[in-house]
Amino acid sequence: MGLLEEPVSTSEFDSFRPPEPQRGKRRKGRRAGRRGLAEGARDGSREMPMVPEAEFGSYYGRPVVKPAPWGHEVAAYLFLGGVAGGSGLLAAGAQLTGRKTLRRNARLSALIAVMLGAVALVKDLGRPERFVNMLRTVKLTSPMSIGSWILSFFSAGIGIASVSEVDRMTGERIPLGPLRPVLRAVEGPAGLEAAAFGAPLAVYTAVLLSDTATPTWNAAYKDLPFVFVSSASLAASGLAMITTGVSEAGPARTLAVIGAVGDLISARVTEYRMDPVTREPLHRGRPGRLLAWSERLAAAGGLGALLGGRHRGVAALSGVTLLTASALLRFGFFEAGLESTRDPRYTIEPQKRRLAARRAAGGTGDSITTAG
Protein backbone atom coordinates (compact mmCIF):
# COMPACT_ATOMS: atom_id res chain seq x y z
CA MET A 1 0.00 0.00 0.00
CA GLY A 2 2.88 2.33 0.72
CA LEU A 3 4.03 1.88 -2.87
CA LEU A 4 0.76 3.34 -4.15
CA GLU A 5 1.01 6.55 -2.12
CA GLU A 6 2.51 9.64 -3.78
CA PRO A 7 5.68 10.86 -2.15
CA VAL A 8 5.28 14.02 -0.10
CA SER A 9 7.45 16.82 -1.47
CA THR A 10 8.91 19.53 0.71
CA SER A 11 9.82 23.03 -0.32
CA GLU A 12 11.04 26.23 1.28
CA PHE A 13 7.73 27.79 0.23
CA ASP A 14 5.61 25.35 2.25
CA SER A 15 5.47 27.81 5.14
CA PHE A 16 3.50 30.24 2.96
CA ARG A 17 0.73 27.75 2.23
CA PRO A 18 -2.54 27.98 4.17
CA PRO A 19 -3.33 25.16 6.58
CA GLU A 20 -5.16 22.19 5.09
CA PRO A 21 -8.81 21.89 6.17
CA GLN A 22 -9.62 18.97 8.44
CA ARG A 23 -11.17 16.10 6.53
CA GLY A 24 -14.51 14.84 7.75
CA LYS A 25 -15.28 11.17 8.27
CA ARG A 26 -18.36 11.21 6.11
CA ARG A 27 -18.31 11.31 2.36
CA LYS A 28 -20.95 14.05 2.38
CA GLY A 29 -18.74 16.25 4.49
CA ARG A 30 -15.85 15.72 2.12
CA ARG A 31 -17.98 16.77 -0.82
CA ALA A 32 -19.12 19.92 1.00
CA GLY A 33 -15.55 20.75 1.89
CA ARG A 34 -14.42 20.32 -1.68
CA ARG A 35 -17.30 22.49 -2.89
CA GLY A 36 -16.31 25.24 -0.47
CA LEU A 37 -12.69 24.88 -1.47
CA ALA A 38 -13.58 25.28 -5.12
CA GLU A 39 -15.70 28.34 -4.41
CA GLY A 40 -12.91 29.88 -2.36
CA ALA A 41 -10.45 29.23 -5.15
CA ARG A 42 -12.72 30.95 -7.64
CA ASP A 43 -13.18 34.17 -5.63
CA GLY A 44 -9.54 34.35 -4.59
CA SER A 45 -10.25 34.32 -0.86
CA ARG A 46 -7.75 31.53 -0.22
CA GLU A 47 -4.91 33.15 -2.12
CA MET A 48 -1.96 34.20 -0.01
CA PRO A 49 -0.08 37.38 -0.98
CA MET A 50 3.42 36.43 -2.07
CA VAL A 51 4.73 40.04 -2.17
CA PRO A 52 4.11 42.96 0.20
CA GLU A 53 1.64 45.66 -0.73
CA ALA A 54 3.06 48.22 -3.13
CA GLU A 55 4.32 51.42 -1.60
CA PHE A 56 4.67 54.74 -3.39
CA GLY A 57 7.86 55.11 -5.34
CA SER A 58 9.18 56.38 -8.62
CA TYR A 59 10.48 54.92 -11.82
CA TYR A 60 13.82 53.46 -10.73
CA GLY A 61 13.97 56.08 -7.99
CA ARG A 62 14.22 58.95 -10.45
CA PRO A 63 12.60 62.31 -9.59
CA VAL A 64 9.38 63.26 -11.35
CA VAL A 65 10.30 66.94 -11.77
CA LYS A 66 13.62 68.03 -13.17
CA PRO A 67 15.39 70.50 -10.83
CA ALA A 68 15.74 74.08 -12.00
CA PRO A 69 19.19 74.57 -13.59
CA TRP A 70 20.00 77.47 -11.27
CA GLY A 71 22.95 77.85 -8.96
CA HIS A 72 23.37 79.95 -5.86
CA GLU A 73 24.01 82.96 -8.08
CA VAL A 74 20.25 83.09 -8.59
CA ALA A 75 19.67 82.94 -4.83
CA ALA A 76 22.09 85.85 -4.45
CA TYR A 77 20.17 87.73 -7.13
CA LEU A 78 16.92 87.13 -5.24
CA PHE A 79 18.45 88.76 -2.17
CA LEU A 80 20.21 91.63 -3.97
CA GLY A 81 17.09 92.43 -5.98
CA GLY A 82 15.19 92.82 -2.74
CA VAL A 83 17.90 95.08 -1.30
CA ALA A 84 17.89 97.25 -4.43
CA GLY A 85 14.12 97.52 -4.74
CA GLY A 86 13.59 98.31 -1.07
CA SER A 87 16.42 100.84 -1.03
CA GLY A 88 14.97 102.57 -4.08
CA LEU A 89 11.65 103.02 -2.29
CA LEU A 90 13.37 104.23 0.86
CA ALA A 91 15.41 106.73 -1.17
CA ALA A 92 12.24 108.14 -2.74
CA GLY A 93 10.70 108.59 0.69
CA ALA A 94 13.82 110.39 1.89
CA GLN A 95 13.74 112.55 -1.24
CA LEU A 96 10.17 113.63 -0.58
CA THR A 97 10.79 114.35 3.12
CA GLY A 98 14.08 116.22 2.72
CA ARG A 99 16.40 113.68 4.38
CA LYS A 100 19.46 114.20 2.20
CA THR A 101 21.82 111.78 3.96
CA LEU A 102 19.31 108.95 3.97
CA ARG A 103 18.47 109.70 0.33
CA ARG A 104 22.11 109.56 -0.71
CA ASN A 105 22.89 106.37 1.21
CA ALA A 106 19.77 104.59 0.01
CA ARG A 107 20.40 105.54 -3.62
CA LEU A 108 24.00 104.36 -3.53
CA SER A 109 22.98 101.17 -1.73
CA ALA A 110 20.38 100.47 -4.40
CA LEU A 111 22.89 101.09 -7.19
CA ILE A 112 25.54 98.80 -5.67
CA ALA A 113 22.97 96.08 -4.98
CA VAL A 114 21.51 96.15 -8.48
CA MET A 115 24.98 96.08 -10.04
CA LEU A 116 26.02 93.07 -7.95
CA GLY A 117 22.69 91.41 -8.73
CA ALA A 118 23.22 91.92 -12.44
CA VAL A 119 26.68 90.36 -12.16
CA ALA A 120 25.23 87.33 -10.37
CA LEU A 121 22.48 87.02 -12.99
CA VAL A 122 24.90 87.22 -15.91
CA LYS A 123 27.19 84.69 -14.23
CA ASP A 124 24.30 82.25 -14.00
CA LEU A 125 23.35 82.89 -17.63
CA GLY A 126 26.92 82.19 -18.69
CA ARG A 127 27.28 84.98 -21.27
CA PRO A 128 26.29 88.67 -21.00
CA GLU A 129 24.63 88.75 -24.42
CA ARG A 130 21.99 86.31 -23.19
CA PHE A 131 20.61 89.02 -20.92
CA VAL A 132 20.61 91.48 -23.82
CA ASN A 133 18.72 88.96 -25.94
CA MET A 134 15.92 88.90 -23.37
CA LEU A 135 15.35 92.60 -24.08
CA ARG A 136 14.65 91.99 -27.75
CA THR A 137 11.00 91.28 -26.99
CA VAL A 138 8.34 91.74 -24.33
CA LYS A 139 6.46 88.62 -23.33
CA LEU A 140 3.74 89.43 -20.82
CA THR A 141 3.25 85.79 -19.85
CA SER A 142 6.93 85.32 -18.97
CA PRO A 143 8.07 86.51 -15.51
CA MET A 144 11.67 86.36 -16.72
CA SER A 145 10.97 88.63 -19.69
CA ILE A 146 9.03 91.16 -17.61
CA GLY A 147 11.65 90.96 -14.88
CA SER A 148 14.41 91.81 -17.33
CA TRP A 149 12.62 95.00 -18.31
CA ILE A 150 11.88 95.88 -14.67
CA LEU A 151 15.55 95.46 -13.83
CA SER A 152 16.58 97.63 -16.79
CA PHE A 153 14.19 100.49 -16.02
CA PHE A 154 15.07 100.46 -12.33
CA SER A 155 18.80 100.46 -13.09
CA ALA A 156 18.44 103.43 -15.42
CA GLY A 157 16.57 105.56 -12.90
CA ILE A 158 18.70 104.71 -9.88
CA GLY A 159 21.85 105.11 -11.96
CA ILE A 160 21.02 108.69 -12.95
CA ALA A 161 20.08 109.62 -9.38
CA SER A 162 23.24 108.01 -7.98
CA VAL A 163 25.53 109.78 -10.46
CA SER A 164 24.12 113.08 -9.25
CA GLU A 165 24.79 112.06 -5.65
CA VAL A 166 28.38 111.08 -6.44
CA ASP A 167 28.88 114.37 -8.26
CA ARG A 168 27.84 116.28 -5.15
CA MET A 169 30.00 114.09 -2.90
CA THR A 170 33.10 114.83 -5.00
CA GLY A 171 32.46 118.57 -5.09
CA GLU A 172 31.25 118.51 -8.70
CA ARG A 173 34.59 117.23 -9.95
CA ILE A 174 33.05 114.80 -12.42
CA PRO A 175 33.63 116.29 -15.90
CA LEU A 176 29.98 116.68 -16.85
CA GLY A 177 30.25 120.15 -18.39
CA PRO A 178 26.93 121.42 -19.73
CA LEU A 179 25.24 118.14 -18.74
CA ARG A 180 25.36 119.00 -15.03
CA PRO A 181 22.25 121.25 -15.09
CA VAL A 182 20.44 118.57 -17.07
CA LEU A 183 21.48 115.94 -14.52
CA ARG A 184 20.22 118.07 -11.65
CA ALA A 185 16.92 118.59 -13.45
CA VAL A 186 16.26 114.90 -14.09
CA GLU A 187 17.66 113.64 -10.78
CA GLY A 188 14.38 113.93 -8.88
CA PRO A 189 12.16 112.33 -11.55
CA ALA A 190 14.75 109.58 -12.04
CA GLY A 191 14.68 108.76 -8.33
CA LEU A 192 10.89 108.55 -8.36
CA GLU A 193 10.98 106.43 -11.52
CA ALA A 194 13.33 104.00 -9.80
CA ALA A 195 10.98 103.85 -6.82
CA ALA A 196 8.08 103.01 -9.15
CA PHE A 197 10.00 99.95 -10.34
CA GLY A 198 11.45 99.18 -6.90
CA ALA A 199 8.50 97.19 -5.59
CA PRO A 200 8.13 95.14 -8.81
CA LEU A 201 11.87 94.42 -8.71
CA ALA A 202 11.57 93.11 -5.16
CA VAL A 203 8.53 90.95 -5.88
CA TYR A 204 8.83 89.64 -9.44
CA THR A 205 11.38 87.04 -8.37
CA ALA A 206 8.67 85.43 -6.22
CA VAL A 207 6.49 85.10 -9.33
CA LEU A 208 9.48 83.74 -11.23
CA LEU A 209 10.00 80.94 -8.69
CA SER A 210 6.35 80.02 -8.22
CA ASP A 211 5.78 79.89 -11.98
CA THR A 212 7.99 76.78 -12.20
CA ALA A 213 7.00 73.14 -11.62
CA THR A 214 9.20 72.94 -8.52
CA PRO A 215 6.78 71.60 -5.87
CA THR A 216 7.61 73.82 -2.89
CA TRP A 217 7.97 76.99 -4.97
CA ASN A 218 4.78 76.38 -6.91
CA ALA A 219 2.77 75.53 -3.79
CA ALA A 220 3.51 78.99 -2.35
CA TYR A 221 2.41 80.95 -5.41
CA LYS A 222 -0.49 82.69 -3.64
CA ASP A 223 1.52 84.24 -0.81
CA LEU A 224 5.20 84.17 -1.76
CA PRO A 225 5.14 87.76 -3.16
CA PHE A 226 4.13 89.05 0.28
CA VAL A 227 7.01 87.14 1.86
CA PHE A 228 9.51 88.61 -0.60
CA VAL A 229 8.19 92.16 -0.15
CA SER A 230 8.56 91.85 3.62
CA SER A 231 12.04 90.39 3.18
CA ALA A 232 13.03 93.30 0.93
CA SER A 233 11.82 95.71 3.61
CA LEU A 234 14.04 93.99 6.15
CA ALA A 235 17.09 94.17 3.90
CA ALA A 236 16.65 97.80 2.80
CA SER A 237 15.84 99.13 6.25
CA GLY A 238 18.65 97.15 7.83
CA LEU A 239 21.21 98.48 5.36
CA ALA A 240 19.96 102.05 5.88
CA MET A 241 20.25 101.68 9.67
CA ILE A 242 23.87 100.60 9.20
CA THR A 243 24.88 103.42 6.85
CA THR A 244 22.80 106.32 8.19
CA GLY A 245 22.86 108.10 11.53
CA VAL A 246 19.91 107.82 13.87
CA SER A 247 18.87 111.44 13.30
CA GLU A 248 17.74 110.69 9.74
CA ALA A 249 17.10 106.94 9.97
CA GLY A 250 13.61 107.25 11.46
CA PRO A 251 11.83 106.00 8.30
CA ALA A 252 14.25 103.08 8.11
CA ARG A 253 13.46 102.08 11.70
CA THR A 254 9.74 102.26 11.01
CA LEU A 255 10.15 100.18 7.86
CA ALA A 256 12.23 97.67 9.82
CA VAL A 257 9.50 97.12 12.41
CA ILE A 258 6.78 96.84 9.75
CA GLY A 259 8.95 94.52 7.68
CA ALA A 260 9.73 92.25 10.63
CA VAL A 261 6.07 91.89 11.55
CA GLY A 262 5.10 91.35 7.93
CA ASP A 263 7.87 88.82 7.42
CA LEU A 264 6.88 86.67 10.39
CA ILE A 265 3.16 86.77 9.61
CA SER A 266 3.45 86.25 5.85
CA ALA A 267 5.83 83.31 6.29
CA ARG A 268 3.39 81.58 8.65
CA VAL A 269 0.39 82.25 6.43
CA THR A 270 2.28 80.97 3.39
CA GLU A 271 3.14 77.70 5.11
CA TYR A 272 -0.41 77.29 6.41
CA ARG A 273 -1.87 77.63 2.91
CA MET A 274 0.63 75.24 1.33
CA ASP A 275 0.06 71.51 0.97
CA PRO A 276 1.29 69.69 4.11
CA VAL A 277 3.73 67.63 2.05
CA THR A 278 5.22 70.49 0.01
CA ARG A 279 5.96 72.49 3.16
CA GLU A 280 8.12 69.73 4.63
CA PRO A 281 11.37 70.86 2.90
CA LEU A 282 10.98 74.22 4.65
CA HIS A 283 11.64 72.50 7.98
CA ARG A 284 14.20 69.85 7.08
CA GLY A 285 17.93 69.83 6.59
CA ARG A 286 19.90 72.91 5.65
CA PRO A 287 16.91 74.86 4.23
CA GLY A 288 15.01 74.33 7.46
CA ARG A 289 17.91 75.62 9.53
CA LEU A 290 18.33 78.70 7.33
CA LEU A 291 14.65 79.58 7.52
CA ALA A 292 14.46 78.97 11.26
CA TRP A 293 17.37 81.33 11.86
CA SER A 294 15.82 83.84 9.49
CA GLU A 295 12.71 84.01 11.68
CA ARG A 296 14.75 84.40 14.86
CA LEU A 297 16.92 87.15 13.42
CA ALA A 298 13.93 88.99 11.93
CA ALA A 299 12.22 89.03 15.31
CA ALA A 300 15.40 90.13 17.11
CA GLY A 301 16.17 92.84 14.55
CA GLY A 302 12.64 94.19 14.64
CA LEU A 303 12.69 94.40 18.44
CA GLY A 304 16.10 96.07 18.34
CA ALA A 305 14.86 98.69 15.89
CA LEU A 306 11.74 99.31 17.96
CA LEU A 307 13.31 99.48 21.42
CA GLY A 308 16.89 100.62 20.81
CA GLY A 309 16.91 102.07 17.32
CA ARG A 310 17.82 105.56 18.56
CA HIS A 311 21.14 104.28 19.87
CA ARG A 312 23.73 104.18 17.09
CA GLY A 313 25.31 100.89 18.12
CA VAL A 314 22.01 99.10 18.67
CA ALA A 315 20.67 100.46 15.38
CA ALA A 316 23.70 99.21 13.44
CA LEU A 317 23.56 95.79 15.11
CA SER A 318 19.84 95.52 14.40
CA GLY A 319 20.52 96.48 10.80
CA VAL A 320 23.06 93.67 10.40
CA THR A 321 20.57 91.26 11.96
CA LEU A 322 17.77 92.27 9.60
CA LEU A 323 20.02 92.15 6.56
CA THR A 324 21.16 88.64 7.51
CA ALA A 325 17.58 87.51 8.14
CA SER A 326 16.56 88.60 4.65
CA ALA A 327 19.49 86.79 3.04
CA LEU A 328 18.79 83.58 4.97
CA LEU A 329 15.14 83.63 3.93
CA ARG A 330 15.97 83.95 0.23
CA PHE A 331 18.66 81.27 0.30
CA GLY A 332 16.59 78.97 2.53
CA PHE A 333 13.50 79.09 0.35
CA PHE A 334 15.60 78.69 -2.78
CA GLU A 335 17.29 75.56 -1.44
CA ALA A 336 14.01 74.14 -0.11
CA GLY A 337 12.57 74.27 -3.61
CA LEU A 338 15.54 72.44 -5.09
CA GLU A 339 15.27 69.84 -2.34
CA SER A 340 11.60 69.23 -3.12
CA THR A 341 12.44 68.12 -6.67
CA ARG A 342 14.62 65.25 -5.47
CA ASP A 343 11.76 63.28 -3.89
CA PRO A 344 8.84 62.35 -6.18
CA ARG A 345 6.57 62.23 -3.14
CA TYR A 346 6.44 66.04 -3.07
CA THR A 347 5.02 66.02 -6.60
CA ILE A 348 2.68 63.02 -6.65
CA GLU A 349 0.92 63.21 -3.28
CA PRO A 350 -0.34 66.81 -3.67
CA GLN A 351 -1.52 65.93 -7.18
CA LYS A 352 -3.50 62.99 -5.83
CA ARG A 353 -5.11 65.17 -3.18
CA ARG A 354 -6.07 67.82 -5.72
CA LEU A 355 -7.51 65.14 -7.99
CA ALA A 356 -9.53 63.65 -5.12
CA ALA A 357 -10.85 67.11 -4.21
CA ARG A 358 -11.93 67.78 -7.79
CA ARG A 359 -13.67 64.44 -7.99
CA ALA A 360 -15.40 65.03 -4.67
CA ALA A 361 -16.62 68.38 -6.00
CA GLY A 362 -17.92 66.70 -9.15
CA GLY A 363 -15.29 68.19 -11.44
CA THR A 364 -14.70 65.10 -13.55
CA GLY A 365 -16.04 66.25 -16.90
CA ASP A 366 -12.89 67.94 -18.14
CA SER A 367 -9.58 66.93 -19.64
CA ILE A 368 -7.79 67.00 -16.29
CA THR A 369 -9.72 64.40 -14.33
CA THR A 370 -11.80 61.43 -15.37
CA ALA A 371 -14.36 59.51 -13.42
CA GLY A 372 -12.88 56.49 -11.71
Side-chain angles (χ1 to χ4, degrees):
M1 183 175 179
L3 296 175
L4 299 177
E5 294 181 353
E6 295 182 1
V8 179
S9 62
T10 59
S11 170
E12 58 179 334
F13 299 105
D14 287 347
S15 60
F16 296 104
R17 295 176 179 173
E20 293 289 339
Q22 294 183 356
R23 297 184 178 182
K25 295 182 179 181
R26 297 182 180 180
R27 191 176 186 86
K28 181 179 180 181
R30 287 198 299 270
R31 284 198 299 269
R34 289 173 183 172
R35 189 182 305 113
L37 181 63
E39 292 175 356
R42 284 196 297 269
D43 63 12
S45 60
R46 294 188 68 253
E47 294 183 0
M48 294 292 292
M50 303 303 293
V51 295
E53 292 187 6
E55 297 181 357
F56 173 76
S58 180
Y59 184 74
Y60 288 99
R62 294 181 178 273
V64 177
V65 177
K66 188 176 181 180
W70 296 335
H72 282 87
E73 295 85 2
V74 173
Y77 174 71
L78 300 180
F79 167 65
L80 293 169
V83 175
S87 297
L89 285 170
L90 199 57
Q95 173 184 333
L96 296 176
T97 56
R99 291 177 169 85
K100 296 182 180 180
T101 304
L102 179 60
R103 181 197 65 195
R104 179 198 65 201
N105 294 343
R107 283 177 176 177
L108 295 179
S109 297
L111 178 64
I112 294 172
V114 79
M115 290 175 62
L116 293 176
V119 170
L121 184 61
V122 170
K123 187 176 186 301
D124 182 77
L125 292 174
R127 294 186 299 179
E129 59 268 24
R130 290 178 177 172
F131 177 79
V132 178
N133 289 337
M134 289 191 291
L135 300 177
R136 296 172 60 184
T137 184
V138 178
K139 190 175 182 180
L140 298 179
T141 57
S142 171
M144 187 172 293
S145 174
I146 298 301
S148 301
W149 284 101
I150 291 173
L151 177 62
S152 300
F153 282 121
F154 177 85
S155 301
I158 204 65
I160 293 172
S162 298
V163 168
S164 183
E165 294 288 356
V166 173
D167 185 52
R168 274 192 294 268
M169 290 172 60
T170 58
E172 298 186 350
R173 294 179 181 177
I174 299 178
L176 296 175
L179 294 178
R180 182 168 284 110
V182 178
L183 180 63
R184 294 289 186 267
V186 300
E187 172 190 358
L192 297 179
E193 183 267 349
F197 287 96
L201 178 63
V203 76
Y204 96 88
T205 49
V207 181
L208 178 65
L209 293 184
S210 58
D211 194 48
T212 65
T214 303
T216 297
W217 295 346
N218 183 263
Y221 76 96
K222 292 182 179 179
D223 306 293
L224 189 59
F226 299 100
V227 177
F228 274 30
V229 165
S230 301
S231 175
S233 301
L234 293 182
S237 60
L239 187 56
M241 290 168 63
I242 296 171
T243 59
T244 308
V246 295
S247 60
E248 287 199 10
R253 292 193 297 270
T254 303
L255 183 62
V257 175
I258 296 174
V261 174
D263 182 79
L264 296 174
I265 294 177
S266 60
R268 292 296 182 182
V269 171
T270 300
E271 289 188 25
Y272 176 78
R273 287 159 62 92
M274 291 173 64
D275 186 273
V277 174
T278 55
R279 79 166 71 110
E280 288 181 5
L282 301 176
H283 299 279
R284 293 182 176 180
R286 174 181 163 87
R289 292 191 297 271
L290 293 178
L291 292 172
W293 273 106
S294 173
E295 286 192 1
R296 299 186 190 111
L297 293 177
L303 286 175
L306 178 64
L307 302 178
R310 294 186 178 276
H311 187 277
R312 187 71 182 98
V314 176
L317 181 60
S318 299
V320 173
T321 303
L322 294 171
L323 199 62
T324 306
S326 178
L328 292 180
L329 185 142
R330 305 289 179 129
F331 277 84
F333 196 85
F334 179 81
E335 293 186 9
L338 296 181
E339 190 66 28
S340 68
T341 62
R342 298 186 177 98
D343 191 342
R345 173 170 166 264
Y346 297 129
T347 303
I348 300 300
E349 290 192 10
Q351 288 180 345
K352 289 183 176 180
R353 269 191 285 273
R354 290 194 296 267
L355 177 60
R358 289 177 63 86
R359 285 177 171 171
T364 58
D366 54 25
S367 60
I368 300 176
T369 60
T370 56

